[in-house]
Amino acid sequence: MSESDASVQAVESLSLEQLTTLLQQIFERHGTSHTVARVLADNCARAQRDGSYSHGVFRIPGYLSSLASRWVDGQASPQVEDVASGFIRVDAANGFAQPALAAARGLLVEKARSAGIAVLAIRNSHHFAALWPDVEPFAEEGLVALSVVNSMTCVVPHGAQKPLFGTNPIAFAAPRADDHPIVFDLATSAIAHGDVQIAARKGHELPAGMGVDRRGEPTQDPKAILDGGALLPFGGHKGSALSMMVELLAAALTGGNFSFEFDWSKHPGAQTPWTGQLLIVIDPSKSGGNSFAGRSAELVRQMHAVGLERLPGDRRFKTRAQSLEHGIPLAIDELAKLRALAQ
Amino acid sequence: MSESDASVQAVESLSLEQLTTLLQQIFERHGTSHTVARVLADNCARAQRDGSYSHGVFRIPGYLSSLASRWVDGQASPQVEDVASGFIRVDAANGFAQPALAAARGLLVEKARSAGIAVLAIRNSHHFAALWPDVEPFAEEGLVALSVVNSMTCVVPHGAQKPLFGTNPIAFAAPRADDHPIVFDLATSAIAHGDVQIAARKGHELPAGMGVDRRGEPTQDPKAILDGGALLPFGGHKGSALSMMVELLAAALTGGNFSFEFDWSKHPGAQTPWTGQLLIVIDPSKSGGNSFAGRSAELVRQMHAVGLERLPGDRRFKTRAQSLEHGIPLAIDELAKLRALAQ
């Protein structure tokens, strides 16, 4: 999957503000509240800015299709419940997960700093975005954040015959002295569903070991995976165990749906999984010893000393710097489609 | 690695109490306090009972060698600090991690039930055991527990040339209605170090992709890995990212050593890594919706419905039931050695 596909055709570059405003107009035009449009546009524009193309403007048609199907409520008002000194739960009221996080974020940071650790349990929510934008801002405030979200049945548990789990990503962010935070966002499937969709659209073959076709046979054809096939977990039984953990934390613990529980058959066009999300935020200043950010910088120094060239997240930070300098490049035809959607 | 190797030779079976008492005598005989001996013996006997042979009595010589080298303090008294409503830190005072956990465990459960989530940050500690015995008891009390511990440099970060990370396991436990809890304990290395040691002792070859020799070349010879070689992370860059997260949580966040930081060269015979351990405990009764334990049972039912035969941990629970019925089988010569050590 090339991350620089946008450069092979005629492009127009937008500033982050311009792209965010355009996307906000699109969301509002298609039935979301002003607040929801602002949060989703910000998330999606940041993904595009950083070269996370599988979760950038590529996702707009899916968002709009789900909104049009009335499967997700673009006007939902998340209900925040302050349950204990370290526990917040949010009923996203069948809306998107990001506005639910935004509604509880201030309280979550306050609790993490006061209690040392806090958990945010979001249920009844739709997460259709990358997960790193949810955790990275905590690290920028000096906090350590871990988040998991379950999605929709498309991954065969290790040792099973049929799919059950979602792609169930795990994202983590930690502050680092004098540099970008350490951030990763990894699907517990062998490949992210968005990357399979992009490969199918471009006609690319996938590496071996990513998925199976509708008969359960290994395949490298992304279309065969999307057409009744399924993904495999990364790393065999270990990745499968972590995917199971994500189901337990993001669904069972939040009160949300498991990846296999929702039925959107009466909402043709629905694409956003109706599940849950868990975030854990820790204040490292409560720990003993040296400064956490200095220590994480030391770890990275030693990783480079043993030959590591690129940290997880480095490519995003590099693309971000280019976007901030030269604008966010969008293919002319893609941009024209987006502008038409905003009318 | 066969888990039933003990059955191919003459064995004597001990009850859990008998084995625990024997191991406790050994630890005390070799310089630990009564309290430390009790905690370590309980942990080690439970691993042997459940067929976790790489962390059962197999580990006794390593414990004793480390104690004899004066690298670890078998008399250490852990210092528990109540830092915030959800944060406890413990200075293990250069002792073992398990007595540090035992000293803080009551307060940790109390905080988790009160705050909804709590974290225990243990530093200046030696963890030489399996990690599942640390988390499973929380699930038996209805709590969800996650723990990470870093160890000693033996894993090459994905994309690097030399080892830096430890085997850095992640263990998770969650209650399940009317059945054993859901428990897993996975090294973020492609194979556990204990399993490499066992394979070397038995002269078995390892599967491909587990490690490299001292020149950094792939090898299936466990002795070549132990003799200046190194392990690989499981699942490529994803497992490597998780191993990095373990370093950050278990060392940077606790105030403990990274896996590459301690120098035991002045303590010949030292084998126990001097690092840190983090535990996060969540009270699922604070979440919305249905009972967590009922929901986790439903997830397992659905996993079986798609063809999964064995959950992570099932083999341990099965071996445990056999051990409870017939006793814990120990090879005659192994038992004789243990009894001699207790004199």
Side-chain angles (χ1 to χ4, degrees):
Chain A
M1 211 70 48
S2 166
E3 293 272 343
S4 57
D5 290 329
S7 63
V8 300
Q9 40 195 317
V11 299
E12 181 180 334
S13 290
L14 268 59
S15 72
L16 180 64
E17 293 67 34
Q18 287 172 323
L19 180 58
T20 306
T21 301
L22 175 60
L23 298 179
Q24 186 169 343
Q25 286 167 348
I26 293 172
F27 283 117
E28 284 198 69
R29 173 71 185 75
H30 289 80
T32 78
S33 69
H34 181 75
T35 304
V36 168
R38 189 175 46 76
V39 172
L40 294 184
D42 175 69
N43 176 295
C44 187
R46 284 194 290 146
Q48 188 73 21
R49 173 198 66 187
D50 291 8
S52 285
Y53 298 125
S54 62
H55 290 94
V57 300
F58 171 76
R59 290 263 157 174
I60 293 293
Y63 275 112
L64 303 190
S65 176
S66 257
L67 283 163
S69 77
R70 299 187 170 273
W71 166 245
V72 57
D73 181 0
Q75 305 273 343
S77 283
Q79 303 300 309
V80 178
E81 298 168 88
D82 184 343
V83 183
S85 69
F87 205 117
I88 307 165
R89 59 188 185 212
V90 185
D91 180 349
N94 197 36
F96 290 103
Q98 291 76 20
L101 167 56
R105 202 180 177 288
L107 184 61
L108 181 59
V109 169
E110 190 184 299
K111 280 183 185 292
R113 293 205 193 280
S114 160
I117 187 170
V119 58
L120 175 63
I122 300 172
R123 68 185 185 279
N124 199 3
S125 54
H126 297 249
H127 203 293
F128 196 59
L131 197 53
W132 62 262
D134 295 352
V135 293
E136 189 181 290
F138 292 101
E140 286 163 355
E141 295 183 60
L143 300 167
V144 173
L146 181 68
S147 185
V148 292
V149 59
N150 64 319
S151 53
M152 58 190 173
T153 293
C154 60
V155 172
V156 183
H158 184 81
Q161 276 77 52
K162 294 177 188 167
L164 186 74
F165 299 149
T167 54
N168 296 2
I170 300 173
F172 175 81
R176 174 163 56 131
D178 305 321
D179 214 321
H180 300 296
I182 299 176
V183 184
F184 67 75
D185 172 2
L186 58 89
T188 53
S189 52
I191 186 169
H193 213 258
D195 286 332
V196 179
Q197 290 173 287
I198 286 188
R201 201 178 55 165
K202 293 183 185 291
H204 292 169
E205 194 169 65
L206 297 171
M210 304 284 114
V212 295
D213 65 18
R214 59 165 61 243
R215 294 160 308 161
E217 299 297 323
T219 181
Q220 292 182 246
D221 175 3
K223 291 193 175 107
I225 292 174
L226 296 174
D227 178 27
L231 306 178
L232 293 170
F234 92 96
H237 74 278
K238 295 185 180 187
S240 190
L242 292 168
S243 186
M244 175 186 71
M245 179 184 78
V246 173
E247 294 287 341
L248 289 168
L249 294 177
L253 190 59
T254 64
N257 288 319
F258 288 123
S259 296
F260 54 83
E261 282 185 321
F262 53 87
D263 173 13
W264 54 21
S265 60
K266 290 180 181 156
H267 296 265
Q271 293 193 32
T272 57
W274 178 38
T275 60
Q277 178 180 9
L278 195 84
L279 286 106
I280 294 172
V281 179
I282 307 176
D283 180 2
S285 75
K286 295 288 190 295
S287 70
N290 302 311
S291 111
F292 179 88
R295 295 286 287 151
S296 68
E298 169 64 9
L299 177 63
V300 173
R301 267 192 298 278
Q302 296 299 331
M303 288 169 70
H304 288 311
V306 296
L308 190 86
E309 292 185 3
R310 204 173 67 186
L311 268 190
D314 269 0
R315 189 163 57 186
R316 277 205 311 276
F317 290 118
K318 191 175 167 193
T319 308
R320 182 181 306 178
Q322 289 167 345
S323 294
L324 290 175
E325 190 176 346
H326 306 293
I328 304 166
L330 286 151
I332 295 280
D333 55 347
E334 191 152 42
L335 190 52
K337 281 183 201 162
L338 292 174
R339 285 178 172 145
L341 288 170
Q343 299 303 315
Chain B
M1 210 71 45
S2 165
E3 293 274 340
S4 57
D5 290 330
S7 62
V8 301
Q9 41 195 315
V11 300
E12 183 180 334
S13 291
L14 268 60
S15 70
L16 180 65
E17 293 67 32
Q18 288 172 324
L19 179 57
T20 305
T21 301
L22 175 60
L23 298 180
Q24 184 169 345
Q25 287 167 348
I26 294 172
F27 283 117
E28 285 197 69
R29 172 74 184 72
H30 289 80
T32 78
S33 70
H34 180 75
T35 304
V36 169
R38 188 175 45 76
V39 172
L40 294 183
D42 175 68
N43 176 297
C44 187
R46 284 193 291 145
Q48 188 73 21
R49 172 197 66 186
D50 291 7
S52 287
Y53 298 124
S54 61
H55 291 93
V57 300
F58 171 77
R59 290 264 158 173
I60 291 294
Y63 275 113
L64 303 189
S65 176
S66 257
L67 283 162
S69 77
R70 299 187 172 274
W71 166 245
V72 58
D73 182 359
Q75 305 273 343
S77 283
Q79 303 301 308
V80 178
E81 297 168 89
D82 184 342
V83 184
S85 67
F87 205 117
I88 306 165
R89 57 186 186 213
V90 185
D91 180 349
N94 197 36
F96 290 102
Q98 291 76 20
L101 167 57
R105 202 181 176 286
L107 185 60
L108 181 59
V109 168
E110 191 183 298
K111 281 185 184 292
R113 292 204 193 281
S114 159
I117 186 169
V119 59
L120 175 62
I122 301 172
R123 68 183 184 279
N124 199 3
S125 54
H126 297 249
H127 203 291
F128 196 60
L131 197 52
W132 62 261
D134 294 352
V135 292
E136 188 180 291
F138 293 101
E140 285 163 355
E141 295 183 61
L143 299 167
V144 173
L146 181 67
S147 185
V148 292
V149 59
N150 64 319
S151 53
M152 58 189 173
T153 292
C154 61
V155 172
V156 182
H158 184 80
Q161 276 77 52
K162 294 177 188 168
L164 185 75
F165 300 149
T167 54
N168 296 5
I170 299 173
F172 175 81
R176 175 164 53 134
D178 306 321
D179 214 321
H180 301 297
I182 298 175
V183 184
F184 67 76
D185 173 1
L186 57 90
T188 52
S189 52
I191 185 169
H193 213 258
D195 286 332
V196 179
Q197 290 173 289
I198 286 187
R201 200 177 57 167
K202 293 181 184 294
H204 291 170
E205 194 169 66
L206 296 172
M210 305 284 114
V212 295
D213 64 20
R214 57 165 60 243
R215 294 161 306 160
E217 300 296 323
T219 181
Q220 293 182 246
D221 175 3
K223 291 192 173 103
I225 291 174
L226 295 174
D227 179 26
L231 306 178
L232 293 170
F234 93 96
H237 74 277
K238 294 184 180 188
S240 191
L242 292 167
S243 186
M244 175 186 70
M245 179 184 78
V246 173
E247 294 287 342
L248 290 168
L249 294 177
L253 190 59
T254 64
N257 289 319
F258 288 123
S259 296
F260 53 83
E261 283 186 318
F262 53 86
D263 173 14
W264 54 20
S265 61
K266 290 180 181 158
H267 296 266
Q271 293 193 31
T272 57
W274 178 38
T275 59
Q277 178 180 9
L278 194 84
L279 287 106
I280 293 172
V281 180
I282 307 176
D283 180 1
S285 76
K286 294 288 189 295
S287 70
N290 302 311
S291 109
F292 179 88
R295 295 285 288 153
S296 69
E298 168 65 10
L299 177 64
V300 173
R301 267 193 299 277
Q302 296 299 331
M303 289 169 70
H304 287 312
V306 296
L308 189 89
E309 291 185 3
R310 203 173 67 186
L311 268 189
D314 269 1
R315 188 163 57 187
R316 278 205 311 276
F317 290 117
K318 191 175 167 191
T319 308
R320 182 182 305 179
Q322 289 168 347
S323 293
L324 290 176
E325 190 175 346
H326 306 293
I328 303 166
L330 287 151
I332 294 282
D333 55 348
E334 189 150 44
L335 191 53
K337 281 184 200 160
L338 292 174
R339 283 176 173 146
L341 289 169
Q343 298 305 313

